[in-house]
Amino acid sequence: MVNVLAISESITTFRQVEEKLGLTLSANPAFFTEWLNDLPPLSEAVQTRLEQIRQNYLYQISDGILLEETIKMVVLSPLLELAGFYQAPYKFRAEVSVRIEALGDNDEILTGRIDALVLQNRLWVVLIESKKTTFDLELVLPQTLAYMAGAPVREKPLYGMVMNGISYLFVKVQDQQYGISDLFATRSQYRNNLSEVLRVLEHLGQLTLD
């Protein structure tokens, strides 16, 4: 008998990612350098806009944790627009259904619906709602990897960004391996990390068109 299980409940640890999906963390430091190398420069006008986005976020969150729709409006949507993802040749879909056959002896089908934007089926921008001040993106990375494992295009590298308004991580999946970038934070005292986030987004977006 086939068991149909929800990804959000069945894939909650990196060990489960390895055992049920066959994905392992790459030990090669050169596996995921796309978030470091060949990043495009930003104009002064774009940097000014990013600083305004940052200030808007800090102002809105001053009264408490923001919900998903507010984060979309204040941070995510402006970032995607600046990255050019609302223009040709990019297209995206929201609320994407995923169905994966798990590895192992048990007949398990993992299913889920991603609260995400999928661009060109190779760049996944995943928005995770902040529910507590202690919320950590590490808690949802296994789930994000499961979603990426169910992508229809697997011959080329897949890239993703996980964010909750407070923090941002980039992920790469290729040949049953994955890599994770350093953490970027909106609340930074000495530099606007949104500039780096946008540069990485633009670069990964170009790579998915190759």
Side-chain angles (χ1 to χ4, degrees), residues 65-200:
I65 296 300
L66 302 180
L67 296 180
E68 178 182 342
E69 290 304 317
T70 305
I71 295 173
K72 283 182 180 178
M73 290 187 294
V74 174
V75 182
L76 180 57
S77 185
L79 278 176
L80 295 178
E81 181 178 6
L82 287 172
F85 291 155
Y86 293 147
Q87 304 170 18
Y90 299 103
K91 293 184 179 180
F92 62 86
R93 296 177 293 134
E95 297 293 328
V96 181
S97 296
V98 174
R99 185 180 178 89
I100 314 165
E101 185 175 343
L103 302 177
D105 297 331
N106 298 323
D107 291 328
E108 294 181 351
I109 299 295
L110 306 177
T111 64
R113 183 173 292 275
I114 314 170
D115 185 14
L117 300 174
V118 182
L119 300 98
Q120 299 296 97
N121 285 326
R122 289 183 54 209
L123 177 58
W124 300 46
V125 180
V126 183
L127 172 62
I128 307 298
E129 181 178 357
S130 297
K131 297 179 179 173
K132 329 177 169 176
T133 55
T134 56
F135 187 82
D136 192 335
L137 293 184
E138 291 283 345
L139 301 178
V140 295
L141 274 174
Q143 182 177 334
T144 301
L145 289 168
Y147 291 148
M148 295 176 72
V153 179
R154 294 296 299 275
E155 294 81 12
K156 296 182 179 181
L158 302 177
Y159 300 101
M161 182 182 80
V162 185
M163 58 89 71
N164 59 6
I166 300 171
S167 305
Y168 305 77
L169 281 170
F170 291 94
V171 186
K172 175 182 178 179
V173 173
Q174 183 178 19
D175 298 330
Q176 296 304 109
Q177 292 187 307
Y178 66 90
I180 302 171
S181 74
D182 287 350
L183 186 72
F184 297 89
T186 303
R187 187 181 295 279
S188 174
Q189 295 296 319
Y190 303 105
R191 61 184 299 180
N192 187 352
N193 279 339
L194 290 182
S195 297
E196 299 305 308
V197 170
L198 178 60
R199 294 174 70 204
V200 176

